[in-house]
Amino acid sequence: MSLTEQPEAEPAAEAAQEHLRDRISADSLTTRRDYLRIVATVSGGLALGGVGVAAGILHRHGDSENLPETRKVADQLLPGQSVAFRFPGDEDRAVAVRLVDGTLVGYSAVCTHLACAVLWRADRGPEGELYCPCHEGVFDARTGEVAAGPPPRPLPRIFLTEQLDGSIWAVATARSGEPAKDALCRQFADARPDMTERLGCPGATPAPVNGQT
Ligand code: FES
């Protein structure tokens, strides 16, 4: 045998290599199978969530007829900033945004397509956007209306107030596309007759003046 000739592989070494090849292909099969199962589970969950929402089985943002408990959202929110919070219930994802011109807006952060989480992207467009990464859904930051992608309805609105100390509070919600006055009249009806009168809600009774009934 010359110095450049390779020795023939020993039978034992060949068997070991064969075994290793089998292990590698078995592992990659397992990994692929697991991956597909995870994807199917996630996709199935999303699809079920969408069907559940469409069929009215699952809770939808703003479904409550009653005035929710007021909740503090942030100590302060500067232009271009956002904060995630839960409202009206502990399971209801929501987002508050201070637009660059100072306007404060709040929305449900549950996409109206298949209920994925909606994210705030400050660096998109002149005033940012609300974005759903599941299927590239985009919502207008100022109105909550659908700007792109498959979502069928605007994001439900959350009504926010700002106190003198700069703190921000969530006070009420609207259903997707529901006019603000209708939403507030619906929720203030029993709890805040003074507010329903000020808003001019249908059926509002005048509040008593100077203790008169
Ligand atoms: S879940 Fe499909 S775009 Fe949001």
Side-chain angles (χ1 to χ4, degrees), residues 111-116 132-137 139 150-151:
C111 183
T112 56
H113 182 218
L114 294 176
C116 284
C132 177
C134 284
H135 310 97
E136 306 283 317
F139 299 89

Side-chain angles (χ1 to χ4, degrees), residues 79-105:
Q81 287 184 340
S82 76
V83 63
F85 62 103
R86 304 276 172 149
F87 188 79
D90 292 340
E91 304 298 319
D92 299 313
R93 294 190 302 266
V95 61
V97 178
R98 174 85 73 188
L99 301 178
V100 284
D101 69 354
T103 305
L104 192 58
V105 290

Side-chain angles (χ1 to χ4, degrees), residues 7-211:
E8 283 187 10
E10 294 292 326
E14 270 187 32
Q17 280 183 350
E18 189 67 24
H19 178 67
L20 185 61
R21 270 198 300 273
D22 288 344
R23 283 270 317 270
I24 290 170
S25 45
D27 283 349
S28 63
L29 265 180
T30 306
T31 306
R32 199 162 56 236
R33 240 191 341 258
D34 287 349
Y35 171 75
L36 289 173
R37 196 176 63 229
I38 290 164
V39 168
T41 305
V42 171
S43 306
L46 287 177
L48 282 177
V51 170
V53 169
I57 298 166
L58 300 180
H59 172 73
R60 252 187 312 205
H61 213 287
D63 270 354
S64 169
E65 288 295 327
N66 304 321
L67 190 62
E69 198 171 316
T70 301
R71 184 169 293 187
K72 190 174 189 181
V73 170
D75 290 334
Q76 194 182 39
L77 211 52
L78 299 175
Q81 287 184 340
S82 76
V83 63
F85 62 103
R86 304 276 172 149
F87 188 79
D90 292 340
E91 304 298 319
D92 299 313
R93 294 190 302 266
V95 61
V97 178
R98 174 85 73 188
L99 301 178
V100 284
D101 69 354
T103 305
L104 192 58
V105 290
Y107 301 101
S108 159
V110 179
C111 183
T112 56
H113 182 218
L114 294 176
C116 284
V118 171
L119 311 170
W120 166 243
R121 297 207 295 193
D123 58 347
R124 299 298 168 115
E127 49 184 14
E129 68 181 22
L130 291 150
Y131 170 69
C132 177
C134 284
H135 310 97
E136 306 283 317
V138 179
F139 299 89
D140 184 289
R142 188 170 289 276
T143 64
E145 294 288 335
V146 179
R153 295 182 305 281
L155 289 173
R157 188 137 208 163
I158 292 177
F159 298 100
L160 303 170
T161 63
E162 187 170 11
Q163 300 298 304
L164 288 175
D165 64 0
S167 63
I168 292 159
W169 299 73
V171 295
T173 63
R175 295 176 177 138
S176 177
E178 184 180 31
K181 182 177 167 182
D182 292 359
L184 293 173
C185 288
R186 176 168 58 78
Q187 287 166 93
F188 286 154
D190 295 328
R192 296 288 305 272
D194 56 321
M195 289 296 296
T196 56
E197 192 199 358
R198 270 160 60 185
L199 286 165
C201 299
T205 48
V209 179
N210 295 332

